Amino acid sequence: MMFPQPMKQLVAVVLDRDVDRVTRELLDQGVLHFVSITEMDHSLGERLSEVTPRVTEAMIGEIRRRIEGFFSLAGGGTPAEQDLRIEELKPLDLQQANRSLDELAARLQAIRDRQQIIQQEVLKLEDIRRQLELFGDLPAGMQARSQFSFLNIQTGSVRRSAFAELAEELKSVPCVHLVLAEEADQLTVLLITMRRDDALVNKLLDKYGWTEVVLSREMLGGKEQVLKDLDAKLAAFRQEQDKLKDGVEELIREKGPELKRMWANLRMNELYARIQSFFSRTARTVIFTGWLPAEKQAGLQTAILRATAGRCYLEWHDPREIPAARKKSVPVQLRGPKALAPFQMLVKNYSMPEYGTVDPTPFVLVAYLAMFGLMFGDVGQGLVLALAGFFGLRTYKGSSENVRNLMKLVIWCGGAAVAAGVLFGSYFGLGLLPPLWFNYHAVIAGRRSSGYVKDVYSILLITIWFGIAVISLGLVLNWINCLRKGDWFRLVFDKGGLIGGWIYGCLLYTSPSPRDS
């Protein structure tokens, strides 16, 4: 835990006929960090050729991302890679995969097209409704319609036998039609359309023998019935929109098992192609190299020997055996309990430590939480923060480990704030219980207290000593790293070396105390 995981480098030579079985074992083990064989000896590039996979990683990745797009439409995440099983790996038929996805995409596109048409109809009907609300009543609107360029309101009669066909064809435009009176063979109808559709509407009216009729104010009635009809049409359209949305999710759920199997096989084949992209070929053999944790050496060696029936050559190298110029290329794997994963994420975001140097994760944990507690020490607010992190962790359905670690970090910080709040006696800013250390709010307010922390200068002194401790710890860790790497010049003369530390110590010793200044 104090230092990164010890690593080993494997250089393997296998027969060409065993390549597929070896690749499957390497994929199943999942412990090898591949590097190009030419990094060890650049002259090998002239004598070796690359292994060309049957399908490229880019081709597979494109189809895999299409499937992930379908999952996102249904509001679900992609399957977890840890659930992949090597025994389910099958050869790829990219054409068949694309055909299946094209069929699904066509069905989804038909739903989206219908959704778009309905949305356009909803917008038009809402526009008609807004325009109608500008009129005091329908008779006034008809008399003043020349002043309004958006709506065309008219009344007329049409044969009863032709009305059903006319109403069906009028569905192609946004409109409202109400039957105001019925006679033996004629219906008197109020028709409201958009003025921009006049050409099409007039053509349909002529087709079905529409005759304009002037109605009295009493017979025409108010606009409430028209608005009610409009609201009914809008409600029907919105209900269909909801059904179409549910239809998209239902279709993807129906295809879900097939899509998950396809995604898993694509992902495994993608990793398979990535592994083989690091292989180099001679006339009859294939060579590859990579790094892995030393504790995994025995398991990987057994797997390769089993896959090749012993027809292979395996050579293991310790990082101490490689030239100093190549040591920086040794991959680093931090180790420690899963609880430290959020702080390992912080370390990686700044800079991954070199191989063989101190893993700063435990020190980052202490320093980060102590600093957070000093800045945000309050029991109530800390509990809110911890609960928010816990809720986010439980509800997050994605596959990003960084997001999960961020939620865990929020829980850690909430816990630190709670602990500091107990020490300071702060509960949502109130002193509900006596502090275990000192009353922070009382000191900030200018009231002196007993003990080590008497006033605001004592709090400033705590922060100064905290900073001194962090810098001093950094110097010590740098000295340990220089000793482990045998970098004697930096150990002595670097600004963070022994001389730099001695100067820093002298300055601290000779500096006046904040209380004396």
Side-chain angles (χ1 to χ4, degrees):
M1 183 173 171
M2 185 69 178
F3 301 98
Q5 183 83 29
M7 305 294 285
K8 288 282 189 177
Q9 185 181 29
L10 167 67
V11 179
V13 182
V14 300
L15 294 178
D16 187 62
R17 63 178 180 175
D18 296 327
V19 166
D20 287 335
R21 287 191 297 272
V22 170
T23 305
R24 293 177 71 96
E25 287 293 342
L26 293 173
L27 179 57
D28 188 32
Q29 294 286 319
V31 297
L32 200 60
H33 177 85
F34 290 91
V35 295
S36 174
I37 192 69
T38 56
E39 290 184 12
M40 297 181 59
D41 187 349
H42 295 288
S43 64
L44 291 175
E46 302 175 357
R47 292 176 283 172
L48 299 175
S49 60
E50 294 182 354
V51 173
T52 304
R54 291 186 294 271
V55 289
T56 66
E57 186 180 345
M59 295 166 59
I60 302 172
E62 182 180 353
I63 302 177
R64 175 179 58 81
R65 285 187 289 273
R66 286 188 68 188
I67 297 177
E68 292 171 357
F70 291 134
F71 284 132
S72 65
L73 282 177
T78 57
E81 290 199 9
Q82 56 264 32
D83 296 334
L84 300 179
R85 291 182 290 183
I86 191 64
E87 59 269 16
E88 296 179 358
L89 175 64
K90 300 176 182 177
L92 277 180
D93 185 346
L94 295 185
Q95 291 184 346
Q96 178 59 38
N98 274 318
R99 280 195 298 270
S100 299
L101 296 180
D102 287 343
E103 290 176 3
L104 177 57
R107 294 175 65 181
L108 291 173
Q109 187 60 46
I111 296 176
R112 282 195 289 264
D113 291 343
R114 180 58 184 164
Q115 286 175 322
Q116 186 176 5
I117 291 172
I118 292 176
Q119 183 60 25
Q120 291 173 350
E121 294 299 317
V122 167
L123 293 176
K124 291 176 181 178
L125 290 177
E126 287 177 343
D127 196 10
I128 292 177
R129 198 184 195 289
R130 282 192 297 270
Q131 296 299 321
L132 280 174
E133 289 178 341
L134 296 176
F135 300 125
D137 55 23
L138 285 180
M142 292 185 67
Q143 294 170 6
R145 65 183 178 182
S146 60
Q147 302 174 16
F148 295 88
S149 59
F150 294 104
L151 297 183
N152 189 356
I153 306 174
Q154 52 188 317
T155 54
S157 63
V158 66
R159 295 189 311 277
R160 183 187 295 273
S161 58
F163 178 72
E165 296 182 13
L166 173 62
E168 184 66 28
E169 292 210 38
L170 283 174
K171 289 182 178 179
S172 61
V173 296
C175 66
V176 178
H177 50 79
L178 294 175
V179 177
L180 300 178
E182 300 185 24
E183 297 180 3
D185 191 40
Q186 294 288 323
L187 298 178
T188 303
V189 180
L190 168 69
L191 180 62
I192 303 174
T193 58
M194 301 292 288
R195 191 173 290 275
R196 62 190 175 201
D197 297 324
D198 278 356
L200 177 59
V201 171
N202 291 335
K203 183 178 179 180
L204 292 175
L205 295 180
D206 292 341
K207 176 180 178 181
Y208 290 99
W210 174 275
T211 304
E212 288 194 9
V213 176
V214 178
L215 300 178
S216 65
R217 177 181 291 269
E218 292 75 15
M219 188 174 181
L220 189 61
K223 65 179 181 181
E224 291 77 13
Q225 183 62 33
V226 178
L227 293 177
K228 184 178 179 181
D229 186 68
L230 269 174
D231 290 338
K233 287 187 175 182
L234 285 170
F237 277 135
R238 292 191 177 108
Q239 186 177 8
E240 186 176 355
Q241 282 180 321
D242 293 338
K243 289 182 179 179
L244 289 172
K245 182 181 177 182
D246 294 340
V248 170
E249 297 177 359
E250 180 62 30
L251 178 58
I252 295 178
R253 280 196 297 269
E254 176 189 335
K255 295 289 185 178
E258 178 185 348
L259 290 175
K260 287 180 179 179
R261 287 193 298 271
M262 189 184 301
W263 184 91
N265 194 44
L266 285 165
R267 184 56 180 158
M268 285 190 290
N269 275 277
E270 187 178 10
L271 296 173
Y272 188 98
R274 183 178 302 174
I275 289 172
Q276 290 200 345
S277 69
F278 288 96
F279 289 2
S280 297
R281 186 189 300 276
T282 65
R284 296 182 179 179
T285 63
V286 168
I287 305 173
F288 61 89
T289 183
W291 294 90
L292 75 159
E295 63 184 22
K296 305 289 185 180
Q297 175 181 342
L300 182 61
Q301 179 168 308
T302 301
I304 295 176
L305 289 173
R306 180 175 62 247
T308 61
R311 300 181 298 268
C312 63
Y313 171 75
L314 306 180
E315 185 175 281
W316 299 94
H317 296 280
D318 192 274
R320 291 170 293 187
E321 302 172 2
I322 66 176
R326 285 177 46 212
K327 282 190 177 179
K328 290 187 177 181
S329 64
V330 179
V332 175
Q333 180 174 327
L334 302 180
R335 54 180 175 175
K338 289 185 177 181
L340 296 185
F343 302 95
Q344 289 179 348
M345 178 185 69
L346 291 178
V347 171
K348 294 175 182 178
N349 285 343
Y350 281 102
S351 179
M352 183 69 80
E354 291 184 25
Y355 180 78
T357 60
V358 176
D359 178 5
T361 303
F363 308 104
V364 170
L365 180 149
V366 175
Y368 193 89
L369 294 183
M371 183 169 57
F372 192 91
L374 288 173
M375 292 189 297
F376 302 100
D378 187 278
V379 174
Q381 296 173 10
L383 281 174
V384 171
L385 192 62
L387 289 174
F390 181 77
F391 179 77
L393 189 62
R394 292 296 299 270
T395 57
Y396 177 68
K397 303 300 182 183
S399 58
S400 174
E401 197 61 30
N402 283 339
V403 174
R404 295 186 180 278
N405 285 334
L406 180 60
M407 300 299 178
K408 294 176 184 177
L409 183 62
V410 171
I411 297 174
W412 273 101
C413 290
V418 169
V422 173
L423 294 177
F424 299 154
S426 178
Y427 300 81
F428 283 114
L430 304 174
L432 302 180
L433 296 174
L436 296 184
W437 186 10
F438 67 91
N439 191 327
Y440 176 83
H441 295 289
V443 172
I444 293 298
R447 297 196 296 271
R448 294 182 63 85
S449 62
S450 59
Y452 176 76
V453 182
K454 297 181 174 63
D455 49 31
V456 70
Y457 296 105
S458 301
I459 296 178
L460 293 176
L461 191 60
I462 291 173
T463 62
I464 291 173
W465 279 113
F466 180 79
I468 291 173
V470 171
I471 294 174
S472 302
L473 177 62
L475 289 172
V476 173
L477 295 181
N478 185 56
W479 299 341
I480 295 174
N481 290 338
C482 291
L483 284 171
R484 288 181 62 84
K485 294 190 295 182
D487 193 344
W488 312 114
F489 183 84
R490 285 189 59 196
L491 175 63
V492 177
F493 297 104
D494 186 72
K495 63 181 179 181
L498 294 175
I499 294 179
W502 178 76
I503 295 173
Y504 178 67
C506 291
L507 290 174
L508 289 178
Y509 182 77
T510 57
S511 297
S513 170
R515 291 181 178 274
D516 300 332
S517 58

